[in-house]
PDB file of all heavy atoms in Angstrom:
ATOM      1  N   SER A  94     167.528  42.742 133.164  1.00 87.00           N
ATOM      2  CA  SER A  94     166.630  43.137 134.255  1.00 87.00           C
ATOM      3  C   SER A  94     166.306  44.620 134.141  1.00 87.00           C
ATOM      4  O   SER A  94     167.207  45.466 134.147  1.00 87.00           O
ATOM      5  CB  SER A  94     167.301  42.851 135.603  1.00 87.00           C
ATOM      6  OG  SER A  94     166.516  43.341 136.663  1.00 87.00           O
ATOM      7  N   ILE A  95     165.020  44.912 133.993  1.00 90.00           N
ATOM      8  CA  ILE A  95     164.561  46.296 133.921  1.00 90.00           C
ATOM      9  C   ILE A  95     163.333  46.431 134.817  1.00 90.00           C
ATOM     10  O   ILE A  95     162.299  45.812 134.552  1.00 90.00           O
ATOM     11  CB  ILE A  95     164.182  46.721 132.485  1.00 90.00           C
ATOM     12  CG1 ILE A  95     165.325  46.439 131.508  1.00 90.00           C
ATOM     13  CG2 ILE A  95     163.803  48.199 132.452  1.00 90.00           C
ATOM     14  CD1 ILE A  95     164.960  46.664 130.061  1.00 90.00           C
ATOM     15  N   GLU A  96     163.452  47.221 135.852  1.00 92.00           N
ATOM     16  CA  GLU A  96     162.320  47.440 136.753  1.00 92.00           C
ATOM     17  C   GLU A  96     161.443  48.540 136.175  1.00 92.00           C
ATOM     18  O   GLU A  96     161.916  49.649 135.915  1.00 92.00           O
ATOM     19  CB  GLU A  96     162.819  47.828 138.141  1.00 92.00           C
ATOM     20  CG  GLU A  96     161.704  47.943 139.162  1.00 92.00           C
ATOM     21  CD  GLU A  96     162.222  48.195 140.563  1.00 92.00           C
ATOM     22  OE1 GLU A  96     163.442  48.033 140.790  1.00 92.00           O
ATOM     23  OE2 GLU A  96     161.418  48.558 141.435  1.00 92.00           O
ATOM     24  N   LEU A  97     160.165  48.225 135.946  1.00 94.00           N
ATOM     25  CA  LEU A  97     159.236  49.211 135.404  1.00 94.00           C
ATOM     26  C   LEU A  97     158.682  50.066 136.546  1.00 94.00           C
ATOM     27  O   LEU A  97     159.149  49.998 137.670  1.00 94.00           O
ATOM     28  CB  LEU A  97     158.133  48.504 134.623  1.00 94.00           C
ATOM     29  CG  LEU A  97     158.641  47.624 133.464  1.00 94.00           C
ATOM     30  CD1 LEU A  97     157.480  46.991 132.722  1.00 94.00           C
ATOM     31  CD2 LEU A  97     159.518  48.413 132.494  1.00 94.00           C
ATOM     32  N   VAL A  98     157.682  50.887 136.271  1.00 95.00           N
ATOM     33  CA  VAL A  98     157.173  51.834 137.259  1.00 95.00           C
ATOM     34  C   VAL A  98     155.692  51.592 137.508  1.00 95.00           C
ATOM     35  O   VAL A  98     154.922  51.455 136.558  1.00 95.00           O
ATOM     36  CB  VAL A  98     157.360  53.287 136.779  1.00 95.00           C
ATOM     37  CG1 VAL A  98     156.923  54.273 137.867  1.00 95.00           C
ATOM     38  CG2 VAL A  98     158.809  53.549 136.387  1.00 95.00           C
ATOM     39  N   ASN A  99     155.321  51.543 138.767  1.00 96.00           N
ATOM     40  CA  ASN A  99     153.912  51.525 139.154  1.00 96.00           C
ATOM     41  C   ASN A  99     153.568  52.951 139.573  1.00 96.00           C
ATOM     42  O   ASN A  99     153.822  53.359 140.706  1.00 96.00           O
ATOM     43  CB  ASN A  99     153.684  50.541 140.301  1.00 96.00           C
ATOM     44  CG  ASN A  99     152.226  50.430 140.682  1.00 96.00           C
ATOM     45  OD1 ASN A  99     151.345  50.793 139.912  1.00 96.00           O
ATOM     46  ND2 ASN A  99     151.968  49.947 141.887  1.00 96.00           N
ATOM     47  N   PHE A 100     152.997  53.712 138.646  1.00 97.00           N
ATOM     48  CA  PHE A 100     152.825  55.142 138.869  1.00 97.00           C
ATOM     49  C   PHE A 100     151.792  55.444 139.948  1.00 97.00           C
ATOM     50  O   PHE A 100     150.734  54.826 140.024  1.00 97.00           O
ATOM     51  CB  PHE A 100     152.430  55.846 137.576  1.00 97.00           C
ATOM     52  CG  PHE A 100     153.575  56.034 136.628  1.00 97.00           C
ATOM     53  CD1 PHE A 100     153.659  55.292 135.466  1.00 97.00           C
ATOM     54  CD2 PHE A 100     154.581  56.944 136.912  1.00 97.00           C
ATOM     55  CE1 PHE A 100     154.724  55.460 134.593  1.00 97.00           C
ATOM     56  CE2 PHE A 100     155.655  57.121 136.048  1.00 97.00           C
ATOM     57  CZ  PHE A 100     155.720  56.374 134.886  1.00 97.00           C
ATOM     58  N   SER A 101     152.118  56.439 140.747  1.00 97.00           N
ATOM     59  CA  SER A 101     151.216  56.940 141.779  1.00 97.00           C
ATOM     60  C   SER A 101     150.049  57.669 141.120  1.00 97.00           C
ATOM     61  O   SER A 101     150.204  58.289 140.060  1.00 97.00           O
ATOM     62  CB  SER A 101     151.971  57.912 142.695  1.00 97.00           C
ATOM     63  OG  SER A 101     151.084  58.618 143.527  1.00 97.00           O
ATOM     64  N   PRO A 102     148.866  57.649 141.742  1.00 97.00           N
ATOM     65  CA  PRO A 102     147.757  58.458 141.220  1.00 97.00           C
ATOM     66  C   PRO A 102     147.946  59.948 141.504  1.00 97.00           C
ATOM     67  O   PRO A 102     147.230  60.783 140.940  1.00 97.00           O
ATOM     68  CB  PRO A 102     146.539  57.914 141.972  1.00 97.00           C
ATOM     69  CG  PRO A 102     147.088  57.326 143.224  1.00 97.00           C
ATOM     70  CD  PRO A 102     148.450  56.801 142.867  1.00 97.00           C
ATOM     71  N   ASP A 103     148.925  60.269 142.373  1.00 96.00           N
ATOM     72  CA  ASP A 103     149.231  61.670 142.662  1.00 96.00           C
ATOM     73  C   ASP A 103     150.039  62.252 141.507  1.00 96.00           C
ATOM     74  O   ASP A 103     151.064  61.688 141.108  1.00 96.00           O
ATOM     75  CB  ASP A 103     150.020  61.772 143.968  1.00 96.00           C
ATOM     76  CG  ASP A 103     150.337  63.216 144.330  1.00 96.00           C
ATOM     77  OD1 ASP A 103     151.363  63.733 143.823  1.00 96.00           O
ATOM     78  OD2 ASP A 103     149.571  63.817 145.081  1.00 96.00           O
ATOM     79  N   VAL A 104     149.614  63.388 140.983  1.00 96.00           N
ATOM     80  CA  VAL A 104     150.202  63.933 139.761  1.00 96.00           C
ATOM     81  C   VAL A 104     151.684  64.271 139.949  1.00 96.00           C
ATOM     82  O   VAL A 104     152.524  63.873 139.129  1.00 96.00           O
ATOM     83  CB  VAL A 104     149.425  65.175 139.281  1.00 96.00           C
ATOM     84  CG1 VAL A 104     150.053  65.739 138.002  1.00 96.00           C
ATOM     85  CG2 VAL A 104     147.958  64.838 139.041  1.00 96.00           C
ATOM     86  N   SER A 105     152.028  64.978 140.993  1.00 95.00           N
ATOM     87  CA  SER A 105     153.431  65.372 141.165  1.00 95.00           C
ATOM     88  C   SER A 105     154.314  64.181 141.507  1.00 95.00           C
ATOM     89  O   SER A 105     155.473  64.114 141.069  1.00 95.00           O
ATOM     90  CB  SER A 105     153.572  66.467 142.231  1.00 95.00           C
ATOM     91  OG  SER A 105     153.121  66.027 143.481  1.00 95.00           O
ATOM     92  N   GLU A 106     153.792  63.219 142.252  1.00 96.00           N
ATOM     93  CA  GLU A 106     154.580  62.022 142.559  1.00 96.00           C
ATOM     94  C   GLU A 106     154.846  61.212 141.290  1.00 96.00           C
ATOM     95  O   GLU A 106     155.956  60.709 141.085  1.00 96.00           O
ATOM     96  CB  GLU A 106     153.854  61.162 143.598  1.00 96.00           C
ATOM     97  CG  GLU A 106     153.899  61.735 145.002  1.00 96.00           C
ATOM     98  CD  GLU A 106     153.238  60.822 146.019  1.00 96.00           C
ATOM     99  OE1 GLU A 106     153.039  59.624 145.714  1.00 96.00           O
ATOM    100  OE2 GLU A 106     152.923  61.300 147.123  1.00 96.00           O
ATOM    101  N   ALA A 107     153.823  61.071 140.434  1.00 97.00           N
ATOM    102  CA  ALA A 107     154.011  60.345 139.174  1.00 97.00           C
ATOM    103  C   ALA A 107     155.014  61.058 138.282  1.00 97.00           C
ATOM    104  O   ALA A 107     155.860  60.424 137.638  1.00 97.00           O
ATOM    105  CB  ALA A 107     152.669  60.198 138.459  1.00 97.00           C
ATOM    106  N   PHE A 108     154.943  62.385 138.255  1.00 97.00           N
ATOM    107  CA  PHE A 108     155.893  63.184 137.472  1.00 97.00           C
ATOM    108  C   PHE A 108     157.314  62.914 137.957  1.00 97.00           C
ATOM    109  O   PHE A 108     158.234  62.680 137.150  1.00 97.00           O
ATOM    110  CB  PHE A 108     155.540  64.664 137.625  1.00 97.00           C
ATOM    111  CG  PHE A 108     156.386  65.592 136.804  1.00 97.00           C
ATOM    112  CD1 PHE A 108     156.016  65.943 135.516  1.00 97.00           C
ATOM    113  CD2 PHE A 108     157.562  66.125 137.320  1.00 97.00           C
ATOM    114  CE1 PHE A 108     156.791  66.806 134.758  1.00 97.00           C
ATOM    115  CE2 PHE A 108     158.342  66.977 136.573  1.00 97.00           C
ATOM    116  CZ  PHE A 108     157.958  67.327 135.291  1.00 97.00           C
ATOM    117  N   HIS A 109     157.499  62.915 139.269  1.00 97.00           N
ATOM    118  CA  HIS A 109     158.820  62.650 139.862  1.00 97.00           C
ATOM    119  C   HIS A 109     159.278  61.230 139.530  1.00 97.00           C
ATOM    120  O   HIS A 109     160.439  61.020 139.149  1.00 97.00           O
ATOM    121  CB  HIS A 109     158.752  62.848 141.370  1.00 97.00           C
ATOM    122  CG  HIS A 109     160.059  62.608 142.066  1.00 97.00           C
ATOM    123  ND1 HIS A 109     161.145  63.451 141.938  1.00 97.00           N
ATOM    124  CD2 HIS A 109     160.466  61.595 142.880  1.00 97.00           C
ATOM    125  CE1 HIS A 109     162.152  62.980 142.640  1.00 97.00           C
ATOM    126  NE2 HIS A 109     161.770  61.853 143.223  1.00 97.00           N
ATOM    127  N   GLN A 110     158.367  60.248 139.649  1.00 97.00           N
ATOM    128  CA  GLN A 110     158.716  58.855 139.337  1.00 97.00           C
ATOM    129  C   GLN A 110     159.218  58.727 137.902  1.00 97.00           C
ATOM    130  O   GLN A 110     160.205  58.037 137.631  1.00 97.00           O
ATOM    131  CB  GLN A 110     157.492  57.949 139.524  1.00 97.00           C
ATOM    132  CG  GLN A 110     157.112  57.676 140.962  1.00 97.00           C
ATOM    133  CD  GLN A 110     155.833  56.853 141.034  1.00 97.00           C
ATOM    134  OE1 GLN A 110     154.764  57.310 140.612  1.00 97.00           O
ATOM    135  NE2 GLN A 110     155.939  55.635 141.535  1.00 97.00           N
ATOM    136  N   LEU A 111     158.512  59.364 136.971  1.00 98.00           N
ATOM    137  CA  LEU A 111     158.901  59.272 135.558  1.00 98.00           C
ATOM    138  C   LEU A 111     160.304  59.811 135.348  1.00 98.00           C
ATOM    139  O   LEU A 111     161.128  59.172 134.685  1.00 98.00           O
ATOM    140  CB  LEU A 111     157.918  60.037 134.666  1.00 98.00           C
ATOM    141  CG  LEU A 111     158.333  60.093 133.186  1.00 98.00           C
ATOM    142  CD1 LEU A 111     158.167  58.730 132.528  1.00 98.00           C
ATOM    143  CD2 LEU A 111     157.570  61.155 132.422  1.00 98.00           C
ATOM    144  N   HIS A 112     160.599  60.965 135.905  1.00 97.00           N
ATOM    145  CA  HIS A 112     161.879  61.605 135.610  1.00 97.00           C
ATOM    146  C   HIS A 112     163.049  60.898 136.301  1.00 97.00           C
ATOM    147  O   HIS A 112     164.146  60.842 135.735  1.00 97.00           O
ATOM    148  CB  HIS A 112     161.804  63.100 135.931  1.00 97.00           C
ATOM    149  CG  HIS A 112     161.006  63.850 134.913  1.00 97.00           C
ATOM    150  ND1 HIS A 112     161.564  64.326 133.745  1.00 97.00           N
ATOM    151  CD2 HIS A 112     159.682  64.148 134.845  1.00 97.00           C
ATOM    152  CE1 HIS A 112     160.629  64.910 133.010  1.00 97.00           C
ATOM    153  NE2 HIS A 112     159.475  64.815 133.657  1.00 97.00           N
ATOM    154  N   VAL A 113     162.814  60.345 137.468  1.00 97.00           N
ATOM    155  CA  VAL A 113     163.858  59.532 138.109  1.00 97.00           C
ATOM    156  C   VAL A 113     164.128  58.288 137.265  1.00 97.00           C
ATOM    157  O   VAL A 113     165.280  57.917 137.017  1.00 97.00           O
ATOM    158  CB  VAL A 113     163.438  59.137 139.540  1.00 97.00           C
ATOM    159  CG1 VAL A 113     164.362  58.066 140.099  1.00 97.00           C
ATOM    160  CG2 VAL A 113     163.438  60.358 140.448  1.00 97.00           C
ATOM    161  N   TRP A 114     163.061  57.640 136.786  1.00 97.00           N
ATOM    162  CA  TRP A 114     163.214  56.423 135.981  1.00 97.00           C
ATOM    163  C   TRP A 114     163.884  56.740 134.648  1.00 97.00           C
ATOM    164  O   TRP A 114     164.750  55.989 134.189  1.00 97.00           O
ATOM    165  CB  TRP A 114     161.849  55.768 135.759  1.00 97.00           C
ATOM    166  CG  TRP A 114     161.944  54.391 135.198  1.00 97.00           C
ATOM    167  CD1 TRP A 114     162.042  53.220 135.886  1.00 97.00           C
ATOM    168  CD2 TRP A 114     161.954  54.021 133.806  1.00 97.00           C
ATOM    169  NE1 TRP A 114     162.113  52.149 135.019  1.00 97.00           N
ATOM    170  CE2 TRP A 114     162.063  52.606 133.738  1.00 97.00           C
ATOM    171  CE3 TRP A 114     161.881  54.738 132.622  1.00 97.00           C
ATOM    172  CZ2 TRP A 114     162.100  51.917 132.540  1.00 97.00           C
ATOM    173  CZ3 TRP A 114     161.927  54.047 131.412  1.00 97.00           C
ATOM    174  CH2 TRP A 114     162.028  52.649 131.391  1.00 97.00           C
ATOM    175  N   ARG A 115     163.488  57.847 134.020  1.00 97.00           N
ATOM    176  CA  ARG A 115     164.110  58.247 132.754  1.00 97.00           C
ATOM    177  C   ARG A 115     165.614  58.423 132.912  1.00 97.00           C
ATOM    178  O   ARG A 115     166.394  58.001 132.059  1.00 97.00           O
ATOM    179  CB  ARG A 115     163.509  59.573 132.267  1.00 97.00           C
ATOM    180  CG  ARG A 115     162.327  59.460 131.353  1.00 97.00           C
ATOM    181  CD  ARG A 115     162.039  60.838 130.818  1.00 97.00           C
ATOM    182  NE  ARG A 115     160.824  60.904 130.039  1.00 97.00           N
ATOM    183  CZ  ARG A 115     160.345  62.036 129.524  1.00 97.00           C
ATOM    184  NH1 ARG A 115     160.995  63.173 129.727  1.00 97.00           N
ATOM    185  NH2 ARG A 115     159.230  62.031 128.827  1.00 97.00           N
ATOM    186  N   THR A 116     166.013  59.092 133.984  1.00 97.00           N
ATOM    187  CA  THR A 116     167.438  59.311 134.217  1.00 97.00           C
ATOM    188  C   THR A 116     168.174  57.976 134.293  1.00 97.00           C
ATOM    189  O   THR A 116     169.246  57.802 133.700  1.00 97.00           O
ATOM    190  CB  THR A 116     167.653  60.110 135.513  1.00 97.00           C
ATOM    191  OG1 THR A 116     167.024  61.393 135.372  1.00 97.00           O
ATOM    192  CG2 THR A 116     169.137  60.287 135.804  1.00 97.00           C
TER     193      THR A 116
END
Side-chain angles (χ1 to χ4, degrees):
S94 174
I95 307 173
E96 185 174 347
L97 302 181
V98 184
N99 183 19
F100 284 108
S101 168
D103 181 275
V104 180
S105 61
E106 286 183 17
F108 184 90
H109 180 70
Q110 286 176 296
L111 175 72
H112 286 274
V113 168
W114 192 89
R115 268 189 187 177
T116 298

